[in-house]
Amino acid sequence: MNQANYVAPARYFLDESGTSGDLSTAGAGLDFNRQPIFVLAAVGVDDEAGLAERLQAIRQRRFPQATELKSSKGHATLAVISELLDGIDALHGGVLLEVMDKRFTLSATMINTLILRPLSSSDHEPKGLWFRAQLAERFHETAPAGVYDAFVQACREPGEASLKAAFRAVLECFPPGPPREDPAHAIRFFALDSLKDFRKAGASKPEVQRRFLPLPDPGHTGKDVWILPHLSAFTNLYARINKIRDGRLSDVQIIHDDQPYFAEILRSSKQAAEGLAGNDGVIKLARADYRFVESGDLTFTPSTGSSGVQAADLIAGFAMRHARDCLAGDPPARENGDVFRRLAHTLDASPGFGMNLMMSNRDVLRCGLLPSRDPMVWPSGP
């Protein structure tokens, strides 16, 4: 494909796999209801009718007794995904994926809220982003489940006692001793500094307590949800579409699988992201653009009525199971790894497409890929 002449699709079909609610319902031992990986997939293709024909042919060839191909029914096989990707390529489309390890996502959240809150625009510069990524790596590598449990409890029941318990758990996990250049030393240093700020600002005040926790979102039942992987994955995917389209979103349609639980949260997240235009604190990334100048249209539809959503469901399910099995120490067959790498590297053929991984470098390697942070996250200069 000639990248110089490539025109990105205007229609994107989204579905997810590995949903287990927000991360405050992680469960004992961070079980995440046996779903440690969350994947949001977007299939970008303008010709949904052409995609429907290809899906129909795949179904008749691979699962002739099925009325619809669904990942949850075991249809996201190696052969199905390979043929589906061939069809998407033939239609000049592409695939975007957000693949998130929930434990690592929780680690990064703790670094960016409890331990080292961003306070100025410099925190969003490459050096700052790179430094936080190193702390999240070490935190994920070192912290046992009990440290996360204390933070989750503070989210679910914010208060002076629960936040102090969360700080105490971090400090017990990262005792004095490591050299100054060690990320473990930095985690302890900034946790102590953050605890000092918490006490000085007035630990008993609810408005102060909220400064050291992620912002909750109201759920469909009126109860708050905390650290929803679906929310951050959707926001970054939307920013990636904005990048692919060079900011031209006015004619873009985003068709998401019907989401009665999270639809309003996703709509609000989209509006909030669009409101960041002109904000000096916007994170600058090479593969995503959070400076929105136009707005795309977001709708929700059942998978039964959209071949594009069905395709996204199959791809999300395949990617989720591959990553989950690799991290569990049960790597799938080599051929599955080849298709996973094909999903990861579709940006080599189609500008901006491919896979964004929110997981530790060690786990990226376990999934059969080479760690690759966004180029704008690497530190530059002395």
Side-chain angles (χ1 to χ4, degrees):
M1 182 181 298
N2 186 341
Q3 293 195 18
N5 299 323
Y6 182 73
V7 178
R11 304 185 77 194
Y12 296 85
F13 301 90
L14 278 61
D15 204 354
E16 84 292 331
S17 184
T19 300
S20 59
D22 67 344
L23 297 194
S24 73
T25 56
L30 295 184
D31 177 65
F32 299 107
N33 196 28
R34 293 186 297 237
Q35 296 190 86
I37 302 295
F38 174 82
V39 174
L40 180 64
V43 173
V45 62
D46 289 325
D47 185 4
E48 188 180 13
L51 182 61
E53 291 177 3
R54 284 165 170 79
L55 269 178
Q56 175 78 346
I58 294 171
R59 182 189 63 77
Q60 291 176 344
R61 186 163 51 250
R62 301 294 177 181
F63 295 96
Q65 303 303 317
T67 58
E68 175 190 353
L69 292 178
K70 288 186 68 67
S71 173
S72 61
K73 294 182 179 180
H75 298 154
T77 64
L78 171 68
V80 166
I81 300 303
S82 295
E83 293 174 11
L84 176 57
L85 292 178
D86 289 343
I88 293 170
D89 286 346
L91 294 169
H92 305 292
V95 177
L96 303 95
L97 295 106
E98 296 286 321
V99 180
M100 304 175 70
D101 170 37
K102 295 175 184 177
R103 185 175 184 134
F104 184 79
T105 300
L106 197 50
S107 299
T109 300
M110 291 183 69
I111 293 296
N112 289 320
T113 55
L114 187 74
I115 297 169
L116 185 56
R117 295 176 298 129
L119 297 174
S120 68
S121 59
S122 64
D123 289 304
H124 301 301
E125 294 299 319
K127 286 183 180 180
L129 295 173
W130 178 86
F131 181 67
R132 290 169 185 278
Q134 306 317 299
L135 300 191
E137 290 273 346
R138 175 54 68 88
F139 198 96
H140 176 264
E141 178 183 316
T142 304
V147 179
Y148 297 97
D149 290 341
F151 180 69
V152 165
Q153 185 62 27
C155 290
R156 299 182 70 179
E157 298 181 12
E160 180 178 359
S162 63
L163 268 160
K164 285 183 175 178
F167 277 116
R168 185 164 58 251
V170 171
L171 293 172
E172 289 174 354
C173 180
F174 294 92
R180 290 182 61 86
E181 63 273 13
D182 192 306
H185 172 88
I187 291 172
R188 179 176 179 83
F189 174 85
F190 287 111
L192 284 170
D193 196 51
S194 186
L195 176 57
K196 178 182 176 181
D197 288 344
F198 176 59
R199 289 170 170 162
K200 185 176 180 180
S204 62
K205 300 176 182 177
E207 64 272 21
V208 172
Q209 296 160 12
R210 286 193 291 270
R211 293 181 204 166
F212 297 84
L213 294 171
L215 293 174
D217 290 284
H220 75 291
T221 63
K223 296 179 65 176
D224 287 344
V225 294
W226 300 81
I227 324 170
L228 186 65
H230 202 151
L231 179 59
S232 56
F234 173 80
T235 303
N236 197 61
L237 196 149
Y238 186 42
R240 290 173 65 191
I241 294 173
N242 189 41
K243 182 76 174 184
I244 292 170
R245 295 279 302 176
D246 291 324
R248 297 187 297 271
L249 293 178
S250 60
D251 61 339
V252 164
Q253 293 178 301
I254 299 174
I255 302 99
H256 197 299
D257 180 43
D258 196 25
Q259 285 288 338
Y261 295 105
F262 304 128
E264 288 307 316
I265 295 177
L266 295 180
R267 287 193 181 97
S268 298
S269 174
K270 174 178 173 291
Q271 292 174 355
E274 291 166 349
L276 294 174
N279 188 334
D280 290 336
V282 172
I283 296 175
K284 299 178 180 65
L285 299 172
R287 298 170 185 160
D289 186 358
Y290 280 82
R291 297 179 182 273
F292 296 90
V293 295
E294 295 181 2
S295 175
D297 181 52
L298 172 63
T299 58
F300 295 85
T301 188
S303 63
T304 52
S306 171
S307 296
V309 171
Q310 291 174 33
D313 164 73
L314 292 167
I315 291 170
F318 176 87
M320 185 277 288
R321 291 180 180 86
H322 180 86
R324 180 196 63 193
D325 292 347
C326 287
L327 268 55
D330 185 23
R334 178 184 60 81
E335 292 81 1
N336 288 58
D338 291 342
V339 173
F340 189 77
R341 281 187 288 276
R342 180 179 176 183
L343 287 168
H345 297 301
T346 53
L347 64 93
D348 295 340
S350 305
F353 289 98
M355 187 182 295
N356 179 56
L357 295 112
M358 183 68 171
M359 59 176 62
S360 70
N361 287 338
R362 179 180 297 181
D363 287 342
V364 171
L365 288 168
R366 293 167 69 188
C367 287
L369 301 173
L370 293 176
S372 176
R373 300 287 182 200
D374 188 290
M376 291 293 288
V377 175
W378 291 101
S380 56

